[in-house]
Amino acid sequence: MPATSAAEPPDPPIPPTGRITAPDGGGEPAPGAIAPHGRYTNPDLRPVPLAERRWTTYNFAALWVGMAHNIPSWTLASGLVALGMDWKQAVVTIALANLVVLVPMLLTGHAGPKYGIPFPVLARASFGLRGANLPALIRAVVACCWFGIQTWIGGQGIYILLGRMTGGGWSAATVVAGYPWTLWLCFGIFWAAELAIIHRGMETLRRFENWAAPFVLVGALVLLGWMAVKAGGFGPLLDQPSALGWGRDFWPVFFPSLMGMIGFWSTLSLNIPDFTRFGSGQRAQVWGQSLGLPTTMTAFALLSVLVTSGSQAVYGAPIWDPVALAAKADSVFGLLYALVTVLIATISVNIAANVVSPAYDLANLAPAHITFRRGALITGVVGVLIMPWKLTATPELYIFTWLGVVGGLLGTVAGVLIADYWLVRRTRLDLPGLYRPDGPYWYTAGWNWRAVLAFAVGGALAVGGSYSRPGKGPFPAGGLIPFLKPLADYGWAVGLATALTLYALLMAAAPAPATRRS
């Protein structure tokens, strides 16, 4: 058979129905329905074949156990104690936040096992093939920042614990750019180890999470037991009073803290299809996430606030950083165990939560040039350039400024995705059309103005009133836009509700060709 000439016209496009159907109505594209390479596809963005969707309920639960049990989520809970809450108030706040964020997590995660597609490809249905780069880049930038934060905290943990094990010379090293060179060395080694693991692919990540999750949980329990012994029992851990009470001093802290807790996992509420696309079915992702996220985050929050309350009883002030607390151990074995736990905990969450998503998001930006692995490397570089050590300087900056603003913006994107997938399309997508510029999701030059407008309005309402207490953050005390300040404490909820409602109304009032043809 003669070779095809470059001058010959391409084969006609495969009809949108060209897919192999799964029992839930989704499936995978028929052979040839989606090109292996092109302007809007590459092997990493293509739907996962049905035969390769093997993640079970345990895999998803283990993923969440591994991601929940990490230093930033520990500091998230202990930071509430540092802000004046007692252990009951902190645990209730975190439990409620994780029950709330589980809902959009399950709704956006539905498309993963049904169609085998990652988050940036799902976003094409609502924002358009080109417009999907807007939410993908927002998510990627946030993930890069989180990657840097986690890597800095992990490297700092190694530095502190090694300093305690080796003596004062390690900590008294020559200062470079404001920090000892030994700290920069720990940061660099930790950074390289994370990228080495993700370079091996998603299957390696699944196996790592399976054994990392129980190991980290045991480490947290050991720290709790040690603190209980130091405090003389669990009584002092439970008796620390709230500095806020339950009156007018509590609620101004509670609501922005609740939005901050939701903002902590609002990133994953968008890109959870990056993981659920490997699921064996909806049951696996629903049960795995429901059993894994709210239960483990609440349990871990309870551990962290009890230990932080214990540190207040033992040392006279709450120590919200578990690494600094572990460094007070007298046993070399205890320090070594703490070091290994810090390493595994931080790598577990950072790779899963903050490398997988931007790697796919950046690949979506330029599929012909950026693969999953190249996207992961770019994430690692950007994560260093954003200088993450500045974002965790205080609980106020970490919870109110960083998490509050991030949650508001990402909640807005989630509102558009949920409205499009569930209300407009009723979970029915033209799978090959998500990869074709001549398909139903091209809209106007690749952009759906309805999604962009809903995102802009929702984002403005969610974060436009952002404010900081005097001397506690970068925003003016009266808010960026003063009349929107009352909405700032509810940014995630405001952004999601506004974008969801406005997008659904716009699609109903001015239906796009994609809606009529899908």
Side-chain angles (χ1 to χ4, degrees):
M1 181 176 179
T4 301
S5 169
E8 291 179 358
D11 293 332
I14 302 295
T17 55
R19 71 169 185 258
I20 300 171
T21 304
D24 62 358
E28 64 181 84
I34 299 175
H37 296 278
R39 189 173 181 181
Y40 298 100
T41 185
N42 66 22
D44 295 314
L45 296 177
R46 286 172 56 86
V48 174
L50 288 170
E52 297 179 17
R53 301 179 198 175
R54 295 191 294 264
W55 286 35
T56 64
T57 297
Y58 175 79
N59 293 138
F60 286 112
L63 176 74
W64 276 113
V65 172
M67 289 198 293
H69 296 162
N70 63 86
I71 296 173
S73 63
W74 180 288
T75 56
L76 192 71
S78 59
L80 295 180
V81 175
L83 290 172
M85 292 188 184
D86 63 17
W87 71 271
K88 297 184 292 295
Q89 293 170 330
V91 171
V92 167
T93 301
I94 290 173
L96 179 59
N98 284 279
L99 287 173
V100 171
V101 82
L102 178 65
V103 175
M105 199 84 68
L106 296 177
L107 292 177
T108 54
H110 185 277
K114 183 169 184 177
Y115 295 103
I117 54 176
F119 155 66
V121 175
L122 173 62
R124 293 175 181 178
S126 52
F127 283 86
L129 266 71
R130 288 177 174 168
N133 287 322
L134 173 63
L137 284 177
I138 292 172
R139 175 64 183 95
V141 169
V142 170
C144 289
C145 292
W146 268 122
F147 176 82
I149 290 172
Q150 292 270 14
T151 304
W152 175 254
I153 290 175
Q156 197 174 39
I158 298 172
Y159 165 78
I160 292 173
L161 295 175
L162 285 180
R164 287 279 285 112
M165 294 173 64
T166 59
W170 182 264
S171 302
T174 303
V175 174
V176 177
Y179 294 94
W181 70 264
T182 46
L183 175 55
W184 293 115
L185 176 64
C186 293
F187 179 59
I189 291 174
F190 194 70
W191 177 88
E194 292 174 311
L195 293 186
I197 292 175
I198 198 63
H199 183 74
R200 298 183 62 86
M202 290 293 291
E203 187 62 21
T204 299
L205 173 63
R206 182 181 71 88
R207 292 195 296 266
F208 180 83
E209 294 289 351
N210 283 348
W211 69 265
F215 183 91
V216 174
L217 179 58
V218 171
L221 291 172
V222 169
L223 187 59
L224 175 63
W226 171 66
M227 184 50 59
V229 171
K230 294 281 288 186
F234 284 98
L237 278 64
L238 301 173
D239 291 342
Q240 295 302 310
S242 169
L244 304 173
W246 289 95
R248 63 181 183 179
D249 292 334
F250 173 71
W251 301 111
V253 175
F254 169 76
F255 285 111
S257 296
L258 180 67
M259 293 299 106
M261 302 304 106
I262 293 173
F264 188 76
W265 289 126
S266 63
T267 50
L268 268 294
S269 70
L270 293 186
N271 76 283
I272 195 65
D274 294 343
F275 300 96
T276 60
R277 66 192 298 230
F278 297 96
S280 58
Q282 295 297 340
R283 181 182 179 88
Q285 76 101 1
V286 170
W287 280 105
Q289 293 201 82
S290 299
L291 294 173
L293 171 58
T295 54
T296 55
M297 271 298 288
T298 302
F300 199 60
L302 179 60
L303 285 174
S304 67
V305 296
L306 288 178
V307 171
T308 305
S309 295
S311 71
Q312 186 171 359
V314 174
Y315 301 107
I319 301 176
W320 74 309
D321 184 351
V323 174
L325 186 60
K328 293 182 175 293
D330 299 324
S331 166
V332 174
F333 174 78
L335 287 169
L336 184 61
Y337 186 83
L339 176 62
V340 175
T341 303
V342 166
L343 283 169
I344 293 176
T346 309
I347 290 176
S348 174
V349 67
N350 212 17
I351 292 175
N354 304 317
V355 177
V356 172
S357 171
Y360 283 127
D361 296 338
L362 293 169
N364 185 71
L365 182 64
H369 305 288
I370 303 177
T371 63
F372 178 82
R373 288 179 172 84
R374 288 176 183 171
L377 180 59
I378 294 173
T379 300
V381 173
V382 175
V384 175
L385 295 178
I386 54 95
M387 295 185 289
W389 44 88
K390 295 183 179 295
L391 292 177
T392 54
T394 67
E396 291 86 359
L397 185 63
Y398 179 45
I399 293 176
F400 295 156
T401 302
W402 168 243
L403 292 179
V405 172
V406 164
L409 289 177
L410 297 183
T412 303
V413 176
V416 173
L417 295 183
I418 293 170
D420 182 79
Y421 184 70
W422 286 96
L423 301 182
V424 176
R425 306 190 189 282
R426 310 289 183 177
T427 76
R428 295 189 298 271
L429 297 176
D430 175 347
L431 189 53
L434 291 169
Y435 299 84
R436 297 200 329 262
D438 63 339
Y441 306 115
W442 185 245
Y443 297 105
T444 303
W447 290 79
N448 182 4
W449 63 267
R450 304 156 192 81
V452 175
L453 179 59
F455 167 77
V457 174
L461 294 178
V463 304
S466 296
Y467 67 94
S468 299
R469 292 175 177 84
K472 297 296 186 179
F475 302 122
L480 287 173
I481 304 175
F483 74 90
L484 293 179
K485 181 181 176 180
L487 301 179
D489 290 346
Y490 314 94
W492 180 84
V494 169
L496 186 143
T498 301
L500 186 151
T501 304
L502 182 56
Y503 180 83
L505 292 174
L506 288 172
M507 290 295 281
T515 307
R516 294 193 294 265
R517 293 168 57 183
S518 61

